[in-house]
């Protein structure tokens, strides 16, 4: 789904850049309410994990592959505003360092892959939780459906942007049919990865999962013939592991996925690449500005061994993403602390 330079014309790219900038500004303010000293480190880890899993293309149809977009996963784990920032950090690292996704198309990619997926997924997730029993299993089910819906929603968003500013003369109906069809299949993979990851984190630290807050339905007592809510329990939710252990485990998992497992990922083009080639959308694709980067194409320049080159690139990518993401989220968290400090609470 990474849109390269040249697919969308300059005016439309500029407009999506403005939309993306506005969404990031809103997300920075919203993330200040979502992040605290417990969840800020998790947000940086989520960004690194999304980067790692996006390297694992899985086959979905003849000659086509897909990979995680990550908007649903990020929104459910750390909140929708922070989720937009997580995916945006990943897209920025991929575009600048790995020549994946055009730099002039960065606004298109952030709008499509970060904003649309996160907003749609979280809306679906919250809607399902409102009608499902307030149990952990419901969070997993809602995560699956939300992730499944978010991917074709991103395909629809790309189709609309292409309809407005596409640089090639291809029938819109053909683009829409091909994009939505293949991304429904990719959405199944996205849903499985998202549900498994959310379920795994809830199993050990439910208190850190944004979408699992307030899971337990409050006990109701009958008083004078009327049902009233019982006082909320004061005991904290039992944690099976420490935050440090969770963070280290997540980082090691991300490094292994990007540095080793990624070598065995599908080499087939992803959904957008396949559709673009088959329908002729890529006729005016432009050379990436960062194509001479030493990490372009997810390999290390001058390292001849393909396994070693890709593994090193993946490890470097995870490291840079976790550092950049953590820096962003700790800064946002510090701004929240400053806002609620006594100095800033005067009448």
């Amino acid at each position: 789904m990474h849109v390269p330079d040249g697919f969308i014309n300059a005016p439309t790219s500029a407009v999506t850049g403005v939309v993306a900038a506005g969404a990031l500004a809103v997300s920075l303010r919203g993330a200040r309410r979502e992040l605290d000293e417990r969840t800020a480190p998790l947000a940086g880890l989520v960004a690194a994990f999304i980067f790692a899993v996006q390297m694992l293309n899985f086959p979905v149809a003849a000659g086509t592959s897909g990979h995680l977009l990550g908007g649903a996963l990020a929104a459910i784990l750390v909140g929708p505003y922070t989720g937009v920032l997580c995916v945006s950090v990943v897209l920025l690292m991929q575009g600048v360092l790995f020549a994946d996704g055009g730099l002039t198309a960065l606004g298109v990619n952030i709008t499509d892959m970060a904003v649309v997926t996160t907003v749609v997924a979280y809306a679906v997730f919250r809607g399902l939780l409102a009608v499902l029993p307030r149990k952990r299993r419901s969070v997993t089910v809602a995560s699956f459906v939300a992730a499944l819906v978010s991917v074709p929603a991103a395909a629809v968003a790309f189709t609309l942007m292409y309809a407005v500013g596409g640089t090639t003369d291809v029938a819109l109906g053909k683009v829409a049919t091909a994009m939505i069809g293949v991304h429904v299949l990719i959405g199944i993979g996205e849903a499985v990865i998202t549900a498994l990851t959310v379920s795994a984190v809830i199993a050990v630290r439910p208190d850190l999962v944004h979408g699992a807050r307030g899971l337990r339905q409050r006990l109701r007592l009958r008083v004078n013939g009327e049902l009233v809510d019982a006082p909320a329990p004061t005991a904290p939710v039992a944690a099976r592991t420490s935050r440090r252990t969770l963070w280290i485990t997540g980082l090691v998992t991300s490094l292994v996925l990007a540095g080793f497992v990624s070598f065995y990922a599908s080499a087939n083009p992803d959904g957008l690449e396949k559709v673009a080639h088959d329908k002729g959308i890529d006729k005016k694709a432009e050379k990436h500005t960062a194509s001479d980067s030493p990490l372009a194409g997810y390999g290390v320049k001058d390292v001849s061994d393909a396994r070693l080159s890709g593994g090193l690139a993946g490890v470097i990518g995870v490291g840079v993403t976790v550092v950049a993401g953590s820096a962003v989220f700790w800064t946002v968290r510090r701004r929240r602390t400053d806002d609620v400090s006594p100095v800033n609470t005067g009448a």
Side-chain angles (χ1 to χ4, degrees):
M1 188 68 77
H2 294 76
V3 180
D5 296 322
F7 277 26
I8 306 296
N9 63 28
T12 305
S13 296
V15 171
T16 57
V18 172
V19 172
L24 291 176
V26 172
S27 297
L28 284 169
R29 292 185 61 86
R32 287 158 65 181
R33 300 190 297 270
E34 294 173 344
L35 294 171
D36 55 31
E37 69 281 355
R38 299 179 310 131
T39 56
L42 179 62
L45 178 61
V46 168
F49 182 77
I50 290 174
F51 175 91
V53 180
Q54 283 196 2
M55 293 184 66
L56 308 180
N57 280 48
F58 49 85
V60 295
T64 310
S65 69
H67 62 70
L68 182 81
L69 297 186
L73 177 63
I76 295 164
L77 288 180
V78 293
Y81 296 106
T82 308
V84 170
L85 298 179
C86 282
V87 181
S88 298
V89 168
V90 173
L91 293 172
L92 182 61
M93 295 300 102
Q94 291 170 331
V96 173
L97 298 179
F98 297 91
D100 189 10
L103 296 184
T104 61
L106 187 60
V108 173
N109 286 319
I110 289 177
T111 300
D112 195 20
M113 294 178 64
V115 179
V116 171
T117 59
T118 301
V119 171
V120 170
Y122 199 70
V124 172
F125 177 78
R126 278 300 170 194
L128 288 174
L129 282 191
V131 298
L132 292 172
R134 299 182 67 79
K135 298 179 180 179
R136 293 183 184 180
R137 184 176 300 176
S138 299
V139 174
T140 303
V141 172
S143 300
F144 183 95
V145 178
L148 176 63
V149 173
S150 70
V151 178
V156 171
F158 169 79
T159 302
L160 293 174
M161 286 185 277
Y162 175 81
V164 175
T167 56
T168 52
D169 186 18
V170 180
L172 183 60
K174 293 182 178 180
V175 175
T177 300
M179 282 293 293
I180 297 171
V182 71
H183 283 91
V184 167
L185 298 177
I186 295 173
I188 297 173
E190 177 104 11
V192 171
I193 295 170
T194 300
L196 289 176
T197 305
V198 170
S199 178
V201 179
I202 288 180
V204 295
R205 289 304 299 256
D207 57 313
L208 295 181
V209 178
H210 185 276
R213 294 178 181 176
L215 264 186
R216 297 188 178 185
Q217 192 167 10
R218 181 168 292 184
L219 177 66
R220 307 198 78 191
L221 303 176
R222 188 173 296 278
V223 178
N224 296 328
E226 295 183 0
L227 288 175
V228 297
D229 289 335
T234 57
V237 178
R240 295 186 181 181
T241 188
S242 67
R243 280 181 285 149
R244 176 176 294 181
T245 300
L246 174 64
W247 196 90
I248 293 174
T249 301
L251 180 60
V252 170
T253 300
S254 300
L255 291 171
V256 170
L257 291 175
F260 177 73
V261 180
S262 63
F263 181 78
Y264 301 97
S266 173
N268 291 330
D270 66 22
L272 176 60
E273 291 172 335
K274 179 66 172 175
V275 172
H277 177 73
D278 290 347
K279 304 302 179 183
I281 300 175
D282 59 355
K283 290 179 180 178
K284 294 188 178 180
E286 300 174 0
K287 183 180 178 181
H288 199 287
T289 308
S291 59
D292 294 328
S293 165
L295 297 174
Y298 296 94
V300 177
K301 189 177 181 179
D302 297 329
V303 176
S304 58
D305 184 272
R307 186 191 298 268
L308 179 60
S309 178
L312 287 175
V315 169
I316 293 170
V318 168
V320 172
T321 303
V322 76
V323 170
S326 297
V328 170
F329 300 124
W330 275 108
T331 301
V332 172
R333 181 225 169 211
R334 286 176 63 86
R335 287 289 303 272
R336 169 183 173 172
T337 303
D338 293 342
D339 287 347
V340 300
S341 63
V343 175
N344 295 321
T345 56

